[in-house]
Amino acid sequence: MNRTISPWRSAAFAAVATLAAGVALAGECPADKRVPDGRGQAMGPTMPQGVTDVVRAMTDLSREPLALQGRQFRLRQLDIQPGGIVPWHSHDHRPAMIYTVSGEVTEYASSCAVPIVHRAGDVAAERNGTSHWWKNTGATPAVLISVDLFPVDKPQQPHDM
């Protein structure tokens, strides 16, 4: 008996095999390169360079039905010029999501043995235990949208990205 496998079935099998192998999704540290925090990429620059950080909107969550005290829901746009740097920072008290709108940036995370490349359309989850810095290693500007739960009692410093 001659059995042919449909292209859809082949694609589904390939997707399952890829996930089972532990390959990272776009913009994530590959599973086989994840290391304990502090054993990945070294601490990088501590001041921004060639990056514009504009807060586009903020919501005081203590005034919303959620009534989350001490946090603001914040949306920012970061424009990173070629060679630009988002300096070393931690997300231990500030979870965030970063969407790469255009361009390409490289993340150097304390919990990944290799740099992580983020391309247009990628989303990076930044949570407790994430310390990192980013650099635009490409030839064109990169645009990122960042949403985070920013602590109200922490004034933003120029190096806090």
Side-chain angles (χ1 to χ4, degrees):
M1 179 175 167
N2 185 5
R3 287 181 82 171
T4 49
I5 298 174
S6 77
W8 292 110
R9 192 174 213 171
S10 294
F13 177 76
V16 168
T18 299
L19 290 174
V23 175
L25 299 174
E28 289 186 356
C29 182
D32 64 339
K33 299 299 180 188
R34 293 180 189 145
V35 296
D37 188 36
R39 294 205 174 154
Q41 301 297 296
M43 182 175 172
T46 58
M47 293 301 291
Q49 174 184 321
V51 60
T52 305
D53 180 356
V54 178
V55 175
R56 297 287 183 193
M58 254 187 186
T59 300
D60 182 349
L61 294 176
S62 68
R63 297 182 176 162
E64 296 298 315
L66 173 66
L68 182 61
Q69 300 299 314
R71 295 289 173 157
Q72 293 181 338
F73 186 46
R74 179 175 72 164
L75 183 137
R76 300 177 300 146
Q77 178 177 331
L78 291 92
D79 296 318
I80 309 170
Q81 298 305 311
I85 293 171
V86 173
W88 182 265
H89 60 280
S90 168
H91 287 273
D92 286 349
H93 302 288
R94 182 176 54 95
M97 298 277 182
I98 306 291
Y99 174 69
T100 305
V101 176
S102 62
E104 181 176 296
V105 292
T106 302
E107 175 186 5
Y108 302 89
S110 64
S111 57
C112 189
V114 296
I116 305 162
V117 176
H118 300 277
R119 294 180 176 88
D122 288 350
V123 176
E126 301 174 320
R127 54 185 73 88
N128 189 25
T130 300
S131 294
H132 60 175
W133 65 284
W134 299 52
K135 183 173 185 177
N136 181 346
T137 57
T140 61
V143 177
L144 310 177
I145 297 295
S146 170
V147 292
D148 64 1
L149 294 178
F150 193 74
V152 173
D153 62 351
K154 182 179 186 261
Q156 184 172 353
Q157 302 298 316
H159 62 279
D160 287 340
M161 294 282 184

